[in-house]
Amino acid sequence: MGNWRDQAACRHTDPDLFFPIGTTGPATVQTQRAKDVCACCRVREQCLEWALGTGQPVGIWGGTTETERRVLRRRPGVRQRR
């Protein structure tokens, strides 16, 4: 399949959409819009795995926020690459 990023639904979307500033007000709308793009992405799982594995601290990756990824990282079996 090659690089999963080549198949990403977001590849032609403004990257700023996936990096909302804050967690309230307009940022909640932006976050939902980004998640809507992720919801129809066929490589969403690979994106999320990459974000978890590399410890991405900001942005929407694989349809998850920083807070949601933090919770996922606490689960057994989820490890960051070093």
Side-chain angles (χ1 to χ4, degrees), residues 6-76:
D6 295 337
Q7 304 298 315
C10 64
R11 72 187 175 281
H12 299 298
T13 305
D14 182 351
D16 288 342
L17 176 65
F18 299 91
F19 295 93
I21 306 296
T23 57
T24 61
T28 60
V29 173
Q30 183 177 345
T31 297
Q32 189 55 56
R33 286 183 55 222
K35 285 182 164 194
D36 289 346
V37 172
C38 296
C40 66
C41 185
R42 62 189 198 184
V43 293
R44 179 180 175 180
E45 280 188 38
Q46 292 94 323
C47 179
L48 178 56
E49 287 173 15
W50 179 83
L52 290 170
T54 59
Q56 293 302 304
V58 297
I60 307 298
W61 295 93
T64 63
T65 64
E66 304 96 63
T67 303
E68 292 164 339
R69 288 192 304 280
R70 204 172 304 121
V71 170
L72 290 172
R73 278 189 212 100
R74 291 185 191 133
R75 291 185 179 171

